[in-house]
Amino acid sequence: MPEAVRLSYVAALILKAVSAGRCYGLEIMEVAGLPSGTVYPALRRLESAGLIRSRWEAESIAAAQQRPVRKYYEVTRDGAAILTTGAGSRYLLPEFQSNSTPSAKR
Amino acid sequence: MIPALPHPVPVICRMLLWLAARLVPLERREDWLREWRGELWHWMSQRAEEHGDTQASAVLRSHCWGALQDAALLRWADWNLPPRLREWAVRPEFVFVASGGAVLLLAAVSFGFQHTRRILLPQSYSLDDRLILVSQQFPFMGMRTGLRSRDLDRFTEKSQDIATFASYVWYDAAFDGSVIVRAAKVTPDFFAVLGVSPAMGAGLSAECPDCFVASDSFYRRHLNADPSALNRTFQVEGRAMRLSGVLPPGFAFLSESPGIWTSFPGTASFRALTPSRRGAIARLHDGVSLGQAQAHLGLLNVPYPKTMDLDIVPLRSLSTRVRRVYGSVFLGALFLAWVWALLAYVREQRRSLRYWSIFGAKLTALVVLLAVVVFELTGVHRMGLAGDQRMANEFAAAWITLFGAGFAFWWSWTDHRKRCRVCLYRMTLPVRIGEPGRLLFDFDGRELLCPNGHGTLYTPESALETHEPESWYSLGETGDVVETEKSEP
């Protein structure tokens, strides 16, 4: 786990949303209730801090569903550690802290 | 390949995305564009539809603004400010430098800062002690009411101390039937009393009652600095009047506002004109002191009651008074800034000292900015009233300063007490705590949380004895302890 990582409330919320299986930008916006100008920069920061990583979905899946490819985000081991034991959990309500099952969106 | 969108993308969204993409570093641009275009597709095909056609474009715009924010942050995040610079940016010195820079920038950009300019640059005429403003009645509510028109001739004829008298009235005039401009109506010898000669053409004269002179800014703005405008005829107040000259650049008599200077038809017609009072200036004879002039003119003013006592003020003293008033505000603010900066330098001794020193720095910066704003805004003369409005403006300035300083303090305090005592971030996540109880619709208070987890702030809903006072609860160490305990098996 990276030392001395302090997450803001928004970053913790987005990290939790990603860990709960809200995997691409629009979906995270919807669940977190935050605008795009907040969510995407926070995703960049989390990614550069090594708490989440991103990957493009396979083009064949997108083509089959007649839509553009999505960029999915997932929590890294460090991110998960921060969320459960570190600064990130400090802000989250108990019900949000419980490990919800990721929704099978992929 | 991206499927076709259900609606065309609004132009503004395309522009925002294009602009945002230019901000993104080149190596990440393609990836960034791919993600945002994909999100836009999803947004338009799903989310925007939910808001209905009337709001869809607004929702889309808001979404695309987010792209711009994201791109800007991507660009700036890569700059990675040196830690020392980042640390310096939250120190009081930064507030001083930033506010000082803002004032300097304001002064440089708005070259039309007329009062600052008037203080810094010499006037186009000599402001010696012999040039005076004369008025009956001492300033009432800070405003001079000038002289009665019927007394002007008498004063001019009988006074042995005054070399020349001239008078003026401010008003608004229609120029060429379409533009309303600030104007001044003056006696033909007005500029001679001041000792000002036009930069172009000739001044006003009794022989040409239908002539007017223009200020340099009016000549540039409304006449396009066209030399052929000289001696041309324009409609001023519905009268055909000839432009006889242009005043020197930067000329100001109490204000730079009047663009047009017309003349009274003649001295004798004063009595027939309204308003019954007008501002008066005069030039004293050589060797005559202000006291002598005051005494002598006072004798001429004897028929009037005490409330109509004559007041004589050197024109120069008006500008020096303004300098003194605002100079002391600046010096006072500067002094405060230095005191707070000194405290800030020793802030490492106690954390709370840093908190309060930044509060002081913020307040000082606001006071300095307020002084500049008041200084410039209240210098604008209200036209259409007779007499010297400078004093009225000083009176207004005092009130604006008083209320402005009160507001600055209130805002600084309100803003600052809701900030974290450690990192100075604004506290967030207000949570109502306590029970509805003693009063109707009452609850005990609310708790705010530092976004960086340094602590919480309890604020009572109202300042009642039964409520706990506002209190700061540090989580700095407690939070770490809790987290450590949680991680232990």
Side-chain angles (χ1 to χ4, degrees):
Chain A
M1 188 181 97
E3 291 295 324
V5 174
R6 297 191 89 95
L7 292 184
S8 68
Y9 164 71
V10 166
L13 190 62
I14 289 172
L15 188 61
K16 186 67 194 176
V18 174
S19 79
R22 312 297 177 177
C23 302
Y24 62 99
L26 217 55
E27 203 177 19
I28 296 167
M29 285 167 58
E30 192 178 58
V31 73
L34 295 167
S36 56
T38 304
V39 168
Y40 288 95
L43 285 172
R44 315 281 181 233
R45 281 196 294 270
L46 287 171
E47 193 173 7
S48 65
L51 303 183
I52 59 171
R53 61 173 163 259
S54 64
R55 62 175 178 81
W56 287 100
E57 73 172 338
E59 295 221 4
S60 56
I61 299 174
Q65 295 183 12
Q66 289 287 296
R67 59 171 173 74
V69 287
R70 289 170 178 164
K71 192 177 195 181
Y72 285 118
Y73 294 89
E74 59 192 8
V75 177
T76 61
R77 188 177 297 172
D78 284 347
I82 282 278
L83 202 55
T84 51
T85 63
S89 63
R90 190 175 293 171
Y91 309 107
L92 300 176
L93 298 173
E95 53 268 36
F96 213 164
Q97 284 183 350
S98 63
N99 286 325
S100 52
T101 313
S103 57
K105 291 276 176 180
R106 278 169 273 183
Chain B
M1 183 186 159
I2 298 177
L5 287 165
H7 300 291
V9 181
V11 177
I12 184 76
C13 290
R14 270 184 281 168
M15 283 172 60
L16 284 172
L17 274 184
W18 180 87
L19 188 66
R22 302 277 89 72
L23 288 177
V24 178
L26 202 58
E27 65 276 8
R28 300 181 67 172
R29 191 174 295 167
E30 194 182 339
D31 194 58
W32 183 90
L33 261 177
R34 197 175 173 206
E35 182 179 15
W36 271 96
R37 280 184 182 148
E39 301 289 23
L40 189 66
W41 186 94
H42 285 295
W43 190 273
M44 289 194 69
S45 60
Q46 299 168 21
R47 306 300 196 278
E49 287 292 296
E50 293 167 10
H51 294 267
D53 285 336
T54 52
Q55 291 181 23
S57 60
V59 174
L60 271 171
R61 270 203 305 276
S62 144
H63 183 64
C64 292
W65 270 114
L68 197 63
Q69 285 173 274
D70 183 30
L73 284 166
L74 265 181
R75 163 60 64 100
W76 289 325
D78 288 348
W79 281 358
N80 213 5
L81 280 176
R84 286 188 68 181
L85 190 62
R86 213 179 301 168
E87 194 181 306
W88 182 74
V90 296
R91 290 168 62 169
E93 297 90 311
F94 175 76
V95 181
F96 300 145
V97 172
S99 59
V103 172
L104 285 178
L105 191 68
L106 203 64
V109 171
S110 62
F111 195 60
F113 246 30
Q114 59 163 312
H115 299 288
T116 308
R117 193 165 60 239
R118 276 170 60 193
I119 282 182
L120 296 177
L121 302 177
Q123 193 44 266
S124 53
Y125 52 92
S126 165
L127 276 172
D128 58 42
D129 278 341
R130 292 186 301 126
L131 196 56
I132 56 172
L133 272 167
V134 186
S135 59
Q136 284 165 324
Q137 283 186 331
F138 287 104
F140 174 69
M141 298 287 280
M143 183 163 61
R144 286 192 177 78
T145 48
L147 284 181
R148 290 188 180 203
S149 301
R150 64 188 180 202
D151 292 332
L152 263 169
D153 287 346
R154 188 159 57 87
F155 276 40
T156 311
E157 282 169 18
K158 297 190 176 174
S159 170
Q160 298 161 358
D161 302 326
I162 304 285
T164 43
F165 251 117
S167 63
Y168 59 91
V169 172
W170 309 122
Y171 71 112
D172 290 333
F175 179 74
D176 255 6
S178 55
V179 190
I180 302 293
V181 293
R182 300 280 165 87
K185 192 165 281 192
V186 298
T187 46
D189 53 354
F190 180 83
F191 293 110
V193 173
L194 283 180
V196 177
S197 303
M200 285 173 60
L204 300 173
S205 69
E207 289 75 37
C208 183
D210 290 333
C211 289
F212 73 98
V213 293
S215 70
D216 183 68
S217 59
F218 180 88
Y219 174 65
R220 293 181 188 284
R221 186 178 302 169
H222 295 284
L223 304 175
N224 301 320
D226 178 12
S228 67
L230 210 62
N231 293 319
R232 249 171 52 201
T233 302
F234 299 92
Q235 290 291 316
V236 180
E237 290 182 283
R239 284 168 59 196
M241 299 188 82
R242 183 169 64 84
L243 176 66
S244 63
V246 178
L247 292 167
F251 165 78
F253 169 70
L254 302 180
S255 163
E256 283 182 18
S257 302
I260 290 176
W261 297 76
T262 58
S263 60
F264 289 114
T267 313
S269 61
F270 277 167
R271 294 184 195 92
L273 289 169
T274 55
S276 59
R277 287 181 175 277
R278 54 204 78 243
I281 57 168
R283 189 171 280 279
L284 299 176
H285 280 301
D286 286 340
V288 176
S289 69
L290 271 179
Q292 287 172 331
Q294 175 86 50
H296 198 161
L297 286 174
L299 289 175
L300 295 175
N301 200 45
V302 159
Y304 294 110
K306 189 75 178 166
T307 52
M308 292 275 286
D309 271 350
L310 213 65
D311 183 37
I312 293 179
V313 181
L315 202 55
R316 187 167 61 178
S317 77
L318 292 179
S319 62
T320 51
R321 190 181 319 184
V322 173
R323 281 186 224 187
R324 214 162 38 234
V325 168
Y326 292 104
S328 33
V329 171
F330 272 110
L331 285 177
L334 207 61
F335 175 73
L336 275 176
W338 277 65
V339 169
W340 283 115
L342 193 66
L343 288 173
Y345 275 121
V346 291
R347 73 187 185 284
E348 295 304 327
Q349 306 297 319
R350 284 179 60 198
R351 270 183 168 174
S352 63
L353 199 57
R354 174 171 176 260
Y355 176 79
W356 290 113
S357 62
I358 289 186
F359 168 68
K362 191 159 56 177
L363 185 60
T364 307
L366 274 175
V367 170
V368 171
L369 282 174
L370 176 74
V372 172
V373 170
V374 168
F375 179 60
E376 288 302 327
L377 288 188
T378 56
V380 180
H381 290 252
R382 289 177 297 161
M383 296 291 118
L385 293 172
D388 163 32
Q389 301 298 307
R390 161 62 74 186
M391 291 303 292
N393 291 331
E394 285 177 8
F395 188 75
W399 279 105
I400 293 173
T401 307
L402 188 68
F403 283 110
F407 174 78
F409 182 80
W410 172 81
W411 181 84
S412 304
W413 173 236
T414 311
D415 174 68
H416 213 65
R417 60 195 273 263
K418 296 283 174 62
R419 286 181 181 272
C420 171
R421 271 43 171 177
V422 178
C423 64
L424 289 168
Y425 271 68
R426 196 185 292 271
M427 308 289 284
T428 183
L429 272 183
V431 177
R432 286 173 66 157
I433 57 172
E435 295 175 356
R438 303 173 185 91
L439 296 172
L440 191 62
F441 304 123
D442 179 39
F443 63 95
D444 203 25
R446 72 182 70 216
E447 197 173 68
L448 298 164
L449 179 68
C450 165
N452 291 318
H454 291 122
T456 59
L457 178 74
Y458 167 76
T459 54
E461 179 62 9
S462 52
L464 296 178
E465 281 184 14
T466 51
H467 288 165
E468 283 181 37
E470 186 174 287
S471 54
W472 164 257
Y473 179 66
S474 174
L475 280 179
E477 292 168 6
T478 318
D480 294 341
V481 169
V482 169
E483 298 303 342
T484 312
E485 284 172 355
K486 222 159 72 174
S487 62
E488 284 171 0

